Amino acid sequence: MSSETVQAAADQANREGRLHPSQRTMVLNAGFSMAVVWIILFVAAAVMAPIGIGVSSDEVRGLNELHTDAGLPPVSYWSLNWQVYLLTVFFLVLAVFPGRLIWRRLAEVRSGKLDVVPGWTYDYGHVHKAPSGGQHAMYMYEVTERMTFTYFVVQGKSHRLDYDMRQRVLGSRTNAAILTPRSKILVNVVAA
């Protein structure tokens, strides 16, 4: 299938509020991959903390032998390692944040539902500073930050457009912005 045919099928599915299979990579993007990496690192750190920096039971036995020889009360394993297990809990709590992002993105791909936001797209053209845009619900502007980038703002959230999407979005007309319901990722912009 040609790219025009795939794009036409994606546009039709998006108008109906559905995610086209070719657009799954837009939701499961580099941010999703980084969240997977972070959750793996946090869980690995939570597992490795007691092993790597904790006091082993053999060391506790040796310490207790020294304590009995000196007439001191014995120490428990938990009294020497509670900080390490607190660190383990901290890493597991940190793993919740990327876990929520992963769960939300997978739920959006599984449901396949999209929000369609139609409206007039005001075109500011090339500007030196991002416009405040309080008077327009949907607008676009182009700004040069070492390179020229085009931004599309829908309901106050700014999205940088890639080259392909920039070719499809025309200002000063009615467009429909296609967004994921929870993450508000811009999937497509079609003429309304």
Side-chain angles (χ1 to χ4, degrees):
M1 247 195 279
S2 69
S3 63
E4 292 87 18
T5 308
V6 171
Q7 187 58 47
D11 289 348
Q12 182 60 35
N14 293 159
R15 281 187 180 95
E16 296 168 1
R18 292 182 294 112
L19 184 68
H20 191 264
S22 67
Q23 296 171 324
R24 288 181 181 153
T25 57
M26 296 178 117
V27 179
L28 303 178
N29 57 10
F32 176 83
S33 301
M34 285 306 299
V36 170
V37 169
W38 278 109
I39 199 166
I40 289 169
L41 289 175
F42 286 140
V43 169
V47 169
M48 295 304 291
I51 296 169
I53 59 176
V55 178
S56 71
S57 55
D58 291 336
E59 292 171 328
V60 171
R61 262 193 302 273
L63 187 61
N64 279 334
E65 288 174 10
L66 289 174
H67 275 225
T68 55
D69 291 343
L72 297 171
V75 294
S76 72
Y77 174 81
W78 294 106
S79 67
L80 295 175
N81 286 317
W82 70 270
Q83 300 94 342
V84 176
Y85 286 100
L86 188 63
L87 184 64
T88 298
V89 169
F90 176 70
F91 283 133
L92 290 175
V93 167
L94 285 179
V96 168
F97 297 110
R100 288 182 62 218
L101 184 138
I102 291 167
W103 184 260
R104 184 173 55 230
R105 297 278 180 95
L106 288 175
E108 286 178 336
V109 168
R110 272 194 311 269
S111 74
K113 293 187 178 6
L114 296 173
D115 290 340
V116 180
V117 182
W120 180 261
T121 304
Y122 185 81
D123 189 1
Y124 281 99
H126 190 82
V127 296
H128 295 291
K129 191 174 103 177
S132 64
Q135 56 194 350
H136 304 289
M138 190 181 307
Y139 61 94
M140 60 189 290
Y141 63 94
E142 189 175 87
V143 66
T144 302
E145 305 163 350
R146 285 191 269 163
M147 291 177 57
T148 301
F149 294 112
T150 302
Y151 291 92
F152 188 71
V153 181
V154 180
Q155 297 174 338
K157 185 167 183 196
S158 179
H159 306 276
R160 186 166 32 179
L161 300 179
D162 61 356
Y163 180 76
D164 292 336
M165 198 173 297
R166 172 62 187 108
Q167 300 305 315
R168 291 193 306 270
V169 178
L170 297 175
S172 301
R173 73 172 191 185
T174 303
N175 289 310
I178 314 297
L179 304 164
T180 57
R182 296 176 195 92
S183 300
K184 301 299 180 196
I185 298 170
L186 182 68
V187 176
N188 199 357
V189 179
V190 293

